[in-house]
Amino acid sequence: MLERTAGWLAARIKHIVPDHPASYAVLKFALAVLLNIAGVISFTLLLSLATGRTGEAVLILISFALLRQVSGGVHLKSGMACVAFTSALFTGLSYVQSGQLCVQFMNVLSLLLVLLLAPIGIDRQTRIPRRHWPKLKFIAAALVSFNFIIASPVIAAAFAAQSISLILAWRKGSTKHENISAQSRL
């Protein structure tokens, strides 16, 4: 449904502005990404309003998105599946209330996964040159490490969920992944 809506919007834009330099395919892709992001944010916030967990949901939306941008991860096959799964996941994560030991365990797990696997699955979604990917790993590790200080249970849960998606991307076999941690300089 998201893809169809993005296609319809791209066709309308090309009809109204036929000389626009962006192709139909580029417009459709960009609109699909925007609709996906808007869907995840909208549904997560609507669900959080219904559950009374809006503050936690906002923390999850921000922390998950920041880590995802620099570490990559697995992608679902359809935009609607992504919106539904991610909104449900974020709503569930907003209920995480764990002790400091569990928070630090999630932080350690996330940090190890980021150091071992990030960035993975970003080869088709970023324009960042491959030579800068070691910096993405460093940024991802710094983001996760920041939660050792603030020790937020929902941020730890969001980071753990995102880090687990790195394993799924690795198991799925991202064709362009290279472990660039130890050999490369930042």
Side-chain angles (χ1 to χ4, degrees):
M1 184 170 143
L2 283 178
E3 290 82 9
R4 201 173 331 156
T5 303
W8 181 82
L9 288 170
R12 294 290 303 147
I13 290 170
K14 285 307 273 184
H15 177 75
I16 294 168
V17 188
D19 295 332
H20 192 280
S23 69
Y24 167 81
V26 168
L27 285 172
K28 181 180 176 187
F29 177 79
L31 289 165
V33 168
L34 289 173
L35 290 171
N36 185 288
I37 292 168
V40 168
I41 292 170
S42 299
F43 285 120
T44 300
L45 291 177
L46 283 172
L47 289 170
S48 73
L49 287 171
T51 61
R53 311 291 292 182
T54 305
E56 293 86 350
V58 169
L59 271 176
I60 292 165
L61 282 165
I62 293 168
S63 56
F64 190 96
L66 287 173
L67 186 57
R68 178 117 178 137
Q69 286 302 305
V70 295
S71 66
V74 73
H75 294 278
L76 297 177
K77 291 187 181 197
S78 82
M80 283 305 294
C82 179
V83 170
F85 177 79
T86 305
S87 298
L89 174 68
F90 289 178
T91 301
L93 292 177
S94 71
Y95 282 95
V96 170
Q97 296 178 352
S98 55
Q100 289 305 304
L101 183 62
C102 188
V103 168
Q104 299 306 348
F105 174 77
M106 287 188 283
N107 288 336
V108 168
L109 173 69
S110 299
L111 183 60
L112 288 174
L113 290 173
V114 161
L115 290 172
L116 288 172
L117 299 172
I120 188 168
I122 66 169
D123 42 295
R124 291 185 163 177
Q125 70 184 34
T126 187
R127 298 181 87 175
I128 298 170
R130 186 177 291 273
R131 70 181 181 275
H132 295 299
W133 287 13
K135 295 173 188 164
L136 295 178
K137 181 185 295 282
F138 176 78
I139 294 167
L143 281 169
V144 172
S145 296
F146 183 66
N147 201 44
F148 282 107
I149 299 165
I150 60 175
S152 166
V154 293
I155 292 175
F159 285 166
Q162 168 51 30
S163 298
I164 290 168
S165 88
L166 301 177
I167 296 173
L168 299 173
W170 174 70
R171 287 191 60 181
K172 189 176 175 181
S174 177
T175 58
K176 302 280 186 177
H177 179 262
E178 296 173 15
N179 189 346
I180 51 178
S181 59
Q183 313 89 319
S184 302
R185 292 204 159 122
L186 296 176

